[in-house]
Amino acid sequence: IEKQEELMTKKAEAEAAIAALIETAKKAQAEYEAEQALNAAYAYAQAELVKLDSVFAEAVETINNECPDVKESEAVQTAKTAIEGQIAALREAVEAGKADGTLIEKQEELMTKKAEAEAAITAMVETAKKAQADYETEQALNAAYAQAMEVVNGLNQKLASAVTAIETFCPNAKDADVVTEAKAAIEAQIAALSEAIEAAKADGSLTANIETVLAPKSDIEDAITALMEIAKKAQADYETEQALNAAYAQATEVVNGLNEKLASAMEAIETFCPDVKDSTLVTDAQAAIEAQITALSDAIEAAKADGSLTANLATILAPKTTIEAAITKLLEDARQAQKDIDTGIEEIAAQQGASKI
């Protein structure tokens, strides 16, 4: 009985130890569960980071394969660097949360940052694809522009060659109005084509509409060919006119020569055949010769007017010999008539002298 109090005290101590044991066990269990939850959260976060790394790597590979011409561009590299920074910051946040035990409560915040990184990755790919498309559009536009300018340069070279040929082979027609006007019209066509090309390049429509823009090429080439033909015809017309003028000058010289011969013959008749100069023998012959010369002159003028003088000059001038012969005969006939008169007068004078004797 006397030890009952002591025993009760020891019982109380045992009960307290049991209670402490339970609390210790509960605390250990709680800590274990907390650690397991933290490890699970950390494992989940690491798995999400691996997924994010994979998405990023796939995005970079896509850009390398599908956007080769812009993968090193400033826009793509800037976006790539920023995403790498986001992923690194997220990884550091995960490690910090694990270290201080706040990872579980920060999990939602971290997943939001992961989603932001994923959105940035998607945006980076879209940026690269757009940049690649823009690059290809620009390259196609530049190729179309080069093709178009080659056409313009080719037309200018053809025109220059045509002008050189005209200067060489059509020297008398190169400055003719019909030639210079045709040349100016072609230059205006080429200038209009060049302006249309520049406008289509400026608004980006050249690639799609290059055939339409370059459609005038055939018409301009035809115009250059026509220019050559115009110049050749003008040169031929010039040469024809020059030949006609030369033939006319020759024919006119013949007419003038005949008139001079007739005038000289009439002057000789006036001087040496005074008694027959007004006789019908002389006047009729003179009128006939003048009519022949007039007919010849009319024929020359008509042939000049219809352009046949050059080819038919010999035929048209054929009467020259006949007219010259007629002038010679006129002078001979007049002299003979004068001589006959002179002889008659001498005979009469001789007869009168004989009768006086």
Side-chain angles (χ1 to χ4, degrees):
I1 295 172
E2 58 191 44
K3 290 184 177 180
Q4 186 173 14
E5 184 177 353
E6 178 185 350
L7 294 173
M8 290 300 104
T9 299
K10 289 182 177 180
K11 173 181 179 247
E13 290 175 353
E15 289 175 340
I18 292 170
L21 173 62
I22 293 172
E23 290 301 319
T24 299
K26 286 182 178 180
K27 182 175 182 298
Q29 181 66 32
E31 289 175 352
Y32 173 81
E33 291 176 356
E35 183 178 4
Q36 289 300 102
L38 181 61
N39 289 339
Y42 182 71
Y44 175 76
Q46 288 298 319
E48 292 300 308
L49 284 171
V50 169
K51 291 179 183 178
L52 187 59
D53 286 337
S54 177
V55 170
F56 181 56
E58 288 176 3
V60 171
E61 185 177 1
T62 297
I63 291 171
N64 289 339
N65 293 335
E66 298 181 16
C67 311
D69 302 300
V70 298
K71 64 182 181 181
E72 302 297 337
S73 66
E74 182 179 355
V76 173
Q77 289 302 311
T78 298
K80 182 181 175 185
T81 300
I83 293 167
E84 288 171 340
Q86 286 177 288
I87 295 174
L90 182 59
R91 182 170 279 108
E92 290 173 4
V94 169
E95 294 297 332
K98 182 176 183 295
D100 64 13
T102 60
L103 182 59
I104 295 173
E105 62 190 61
K106 290 182 177 179
Q107 190 170 23
E108 184 176 352
E109 176 186 345
L110 295 174
M111 290 304 101
T112 298
K113 289 182 178 180
K114 173 183 175 265
E116 291 172 353
E118 288 173 334
I121 292 170
T122 300
M124 177 182 70
V125 173
E126 293 304 316
T127 297
K129 287 183 177 179
K130 183 179 184 305
Q132 180 68 28
D134 290 345
Y135 173 84
E136 291 173 359
T137 297
E138 183 179 6
Q139 290 300 103
L141 181 62
N142 289 340
Y145 182 70
Q147 179 185 346
M149 290 311 297
E150 185 176 352
V151 168
V152 171
N153 292 336
L155 290 172
N156 279 322
Q157 288 172 0
K158 284 184 179 181
L159 178 59
S161 296
V163 170
T164 299
I166 290 170
E167 290 175 348
T168 302
F169 301 109
C170 309
N172 306 113
K174 64 181 181 179
D175 296 321
D177 289 344
V178 67
V179 173
T180 56
E181 289 172 3
K183 177 174 175 283
I186 294 169
E187 289 172 338
Q189 285 178 292
I190 294 175
L193 175 59
S194 183
E195 290 173 3
I197 291 169
E198 294 296 336
K201 180 177 185 288
D203 64 20
S205 64
L206 182 60
T207 306
N209 300 327
I210 188 165
E211 291 186 4
T212 301
V213 173
L214 293 181
K217 172 179 177 285
S218 297
D219 290 340
I220 296 173
E221 288 175 332
D222 291 344
I224 293 173
T225 300
L227 171 63
M228 285 294 299
E229 296 304 316
I230 290 170
K232 287 178 182 178
K233 183 179 184 302
Q235 181 68 27
D237 290 346
Y238 173 84
E239 292 172 358
T240 297
E241 184 179 6
Q242 290 300 102
L244 182 62
N245 289 340
Y248 183 70
Q250 181 181 345
T252 301
E253 185 177 355
V254 168
V255 170
N256 292 338
L258 291 173
N259 281 322
E260 288 173 2
K261 282 185 180 180
L262 178 59
S264 295
M266 294 309 299
E267 185 177 348
I269 291 171
E270 291 267 352
T271 303
F272 301 109
C273 308
D275 300 309
V276 297
K277 64 180 183 180
D278 294 322
S279 66
T280 56
L281 172 71
V282 173
T283 57
D284 288 350
Q286 178 188 6
I289 293 169
E290 288 173 342
Q292 286 178 294
I293 295 174
T294 297
L296 174 59
S297 183
D298 290 344
I300 291 169
E301 293 296 334
K304 180 177 185 289
D306 65 20
S308 64
L309 180 61
T310 306
N312 300 326
L313 183 61
T315 301
I316 292 170
L317 293 182
K320 170 178 177 288
T321 303
T322 301
I323 296 172
E324 287 176 330
I327 293 172
T328 300
K329 185 176 186 305
L330 167 62
L331 184 56
E332 290 175 351
D333 288 349
R335 284 176 175 172
Q336 185 61 48
Q338 182 66 42
K339 181 178 179 182
D340 289 345
I341 291 174
D342 291 342
T343 300
I345 292 173
E346 288 175 357
E347 289 178 354
I348 293 172
Q351 291 174 1
Q352 289 177 348
S355 64
K356 288 179 180 180
I357 294 173

